């Protein structure tokens, strides 16, 4: 697999500064043998374009997908801070995504595809295609549209 930083340049992607914690927790927790649990991240990447609201009411499916991609950028920023080199990611193991949506909204998987598709494009199928769960929620912290957490296996 090509260098992740070269791939980010090719895709015109810049990692944001790791997000400010919204509570009392650790952004990335190491456990087991080369495993990292990444606490949930929202979509604010510090560019002043943060989306807020419910998907299916305030936001479109496409806006939800963009929010999910931004969540992944924040997760990668936290991983960069923890690992020092994103090329150490062996594979993304699991993604859990929550979509702040209306009661009748049913396209949770399609929203989270915005983040999963980004991982796949950036890391390739072997590293960037994790197991996944996508859930609807009646709210998310601060009225963010999406929150995503992730488990990652890394290499020395």
């Amino acid at each position: 697999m090509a260098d992740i930083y070269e791939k980010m340049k090719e895709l015109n992607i810049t990692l944001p500064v790791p997000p400010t914690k919204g509570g009392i927790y650790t952004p990335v927790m190491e456990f087991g043998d080369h495993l990292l649990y990444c606490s949930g991240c929202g979509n604010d990447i510090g560019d002043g374009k943060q989306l807020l609201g419910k998907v299916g009411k305030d936001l479109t499916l496409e806006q939800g997908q963009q929010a999910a991609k931004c969540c992944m950028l924040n997760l990668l920023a936290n991983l960069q801070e923890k690992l020092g080199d994103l090329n150490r990611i062996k594979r993304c193991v699991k993604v859990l995504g929550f979509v702040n949506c209306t009661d009748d909204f049913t396209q949770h998987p399609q929203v989270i595809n915005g983040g999963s598709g980004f991982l796949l494009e950036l890391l390739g199928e072997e590293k960037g295609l994790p197991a996944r769960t996508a859930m609807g929620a009646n709210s998310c912290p601060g009225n963010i549209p999406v929150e995503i957490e992730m488990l990652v296996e890394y290499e020395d």
Side-chain angles (χ1 to χ4, degrees):
M1 179 71 188
D3 180 88
I4 190 170
Y5 301 100
E6 290 299 319
K7 185 67 175 180
M8 284 192 297
K9 282 181 191 174
E10 179 185 313
L11 297 172
N12 199 26
I13 298 293
T14 303
L15 283 182
V17 172
T20 303
K21 293 190 316 182
I24 302 170
Y25 62 90
T26 300
V28 180
M29 175 64 69
E30 189 170 356
F31 71 101
D33 187 27
H34 292 92
L35 294 170
L36 299 171
Y37 170 74
C38 304
S39 296
C41 284
N43 67 301
D44 185 359
I45 58 172
D47 64 357
K49 299 178 184 175
Q50 180 184 14
L51 295 170
L52 297 173
K54 287 188 178 294
V55 181
K57 177 184 174 193
D58 310 308
L59 303 171
T60 65
L61 170 64
E62 293 75 18
Q63 288 173 309
Q65 291 170 330
Q66 182 59 36
K69 179 180 177 181
C70 290
C71 292
M72 284 299 176
L73 284 168
N74 279 327
L75 287 163
L76 290 171
N78 281 342
L79 283 167
Q80 168 69 36
E81 187 164 275
K82 178 72 173 181
L83 292 172
D85 183 355
L86 292 177
N87 288 303
R88 293 179 62 197
I89 295 173
K90 184 174 181 180
R91 67 181 163 179
C92 299
V93 177
K94 172 129 190 332
V95 165
L96 173 58
F98 297 95
V99 180
N100 177 8
C101 60
T102 59
D103 289 344
D104 61 346
F105 186 81
T106 60
Q107 295 179 293
H108 317 103
Q110 290 86 346
V111 170
I112 303 304
N113 280 349
S116 297
F118 172 64
L119 276 182
L120 181 61
E121 183 179 24
L122 185 62
L123 298 172
E125 190 169 331
E126 188 176 318
K127 290 184 177 187
L129 192 61
R132 187 185 85 179
T133 302
M135 298 294 301
N138 71 340
S139 69
C140 284
N143 200 30
I144 59 174
V146 179
E147 182 169 344
I148 298 177
E149 64 179 44
M150 183 165 55
L151 292 174
V152 172
E153 183 179 18
Y154 69 95
E155 302 174 301
D156 287 328

